Amino acid sequence: MPDTPDVASRYLIRFDFQDGTSYTTKINEHPDPAAREEWRHLCDAGGGELVSLRRFPNGMLRYVIRYVLSTGETLQHYDALPPMSKLHRAAAYEYATQQLESGAGTIVGSTTDMATIEGTLPDGKPFTQFVRQPYPPAKLTPERQDEISEMIALGKGDFKEQLFSQQGACYVVEFTLSDGSFFRMGHCRPAMTDSEWDAARAEAAALYAAGQYTRESVTAVDGEPVEVLVMTLSTGYIAKIRDTPETRASWGIE
């Protein structure tokens, strides 16, 4: 157990190899799988004692929480949230994230191109998160919406990630506008011109008909696994298509 209230537990592990050499490193999680599992159960149940709140040089806040295992061993961990159940954690995180995304937070530090923003949880306790600068985010005016529409028509935008649900998929694209503002939005198709999208759909349909695809399991936004069809197009683009009627129809696959 750490001898100060604002330090998390760390463990010194030594690996011995058959050639007689060894390697020693420090890890944050308990090396015993059973202890780690018990700790996760305590976290999900909202167990643990709040010891202190630590502020790091970049402005980030971390709650220091102490846990006592059934063996009597004591652990301390950093957490973005104070002790609360898994259900309450999800609600508190969503509340705080929406607050910061709306521009209601305060800049308390920074690192590289990210700002450390501080807001509050539903109970008034502080919460910090890294947010890309500038902050607060720009408002989506009609003029900016028109520029984004023009960029979409030209196939411009920085693709960030593809999110899957039980029903379909969403392509997250970031648009940096002429005034320096940026907006991240979800779309039903990748960042392509109409002609590029038509060509991609036609090629995907042909590859599917020829059986030139694989199946892959990915994690959906609700944490559940979903199956997608994976095809590599001639442009190098790797299409991952959720195998649902809606998504197949959007890609022209019948």
Side-chain angles (χ1 to χ4, degrees):
M1 171 183 167
D3 55 7
T4 58
D6 63 346
V7 176
S9 300
R10 299 193 72 186
Y11 303 91
L12 190 65
I13 307 296
R14 190 181 75 183
F15 299 90
D16 295 318
F17 303 107
Q18 293 181 348
D19 62 2
T21 62
S22 64
Y23 172 74
T24 301
T25 186
K26 289 182 179 180
I27 62 174
N28 295 323
E29 288 198 338
H30 199 293
D32 181 6
R36 291 198 301 270
E37 184 67 18
E38 183 178 357
W39 168 71
R40 292 191 184 97
H41 283 305
L42 287 171
C43 289
D44 290 347
E49 173 194 359
L50 178 59
V51 177
S52 63
L53 184 60
R54 181 174 181 180
R55 173 87 67 178
F56 289 88
N58 60 13
M60 188 66 67
L61 286 172
R62 283 295 176 261
Y63 291 91
V64 184
I65 304 173
R66 182 175 297 158
Y67 301 90
V68 180
L69 303 183
S70 58
T71 59
E73 184 176 2
T74 301
L75 319 177
Q76 284 187 184
H77 279 264
Y78 292 138
D79 202 310
L81 301 172
M84 62 182 70
S85 69
K86 187 175 182 179
L87 180 62
H88 288 149
R89 286 177 66 87
Y93 183 81
E94 181 179 3
Y95 173 90
T97 299
Q98 290 178 352
Q99 181 188 79
L100 300 189
E101 289 178 348
S102 71
T106 302
I107 298 178
V108 293
S110 64
T111 177
T112 60
D113 64 341
M114 305 292 285
T116 306
I117 310 301
E118 183 173 323
T120 57
L121 298 171
D123 62 0
K125 288 187 174 66
F127 174 84
T128 54
Q129 188 175 74
F130 286 131
V131 176
R132 179 177 166 180
Q133 299 203 63
Y135 186 86
K139 295 185 181 298
L140 186 60
T141 62
E143 294 76 15
R144 286 171 171 158
Q145 181 62 71
D146 289 342
E147 186 174 352
I148 290 174
S149 298
E150 291 176 4
M151 294 179 71
I152 293 174
L154 294 172
K156 294 183 178 181
D158 185 13
F159 171 74
K160 291 299 182 181
E161 61 180 328
Q162 186 176 1
L163 303 177
F164 296 92
S165 68
Q166 296 297 327
Q167 291 72 40
C170 172
Y171 301 86
V172 181
V173 180
E174 188 172 281
F175 302 93
T176 302
L177 307 188
S178 57
D179 62 3
S181 62
F182 66 92
F183 296 87
R184 185 172 292 191
M185 298 182 173
H187 291 270
C188 60
R189 56 184 255 189
M192 298 178 179
T193 64
D194 288 344
S195 59
E196 289 172 339
W197 175 235
D198 290 341
R201 294 173 73 244
E203 185 175 0
L207 290 173
Y208 180 78
Q212 297 181 21
Y213 63 88
T214 59
R215 290 185 178 273
E216 179 181 319
S217 180
V218 299
T219 303
V221 292
D222 61 359
E224 294 297 321
V226 297
E227 195 171 72
V228 298
L229 310 174
V230 183
M231 309 173 193
T232 302
L233 307 186
S234 58
T235 59
Y237 178 77
I238 300 176
K240 294 187 177 183
I241 304 170
R242 179 77 174 93
D243 197 6
T244 63
E246 294 81 5
T247 308
R248 287 162 61 92
S250 72
W251 276 89
I253 296 175
E254 303 297 339

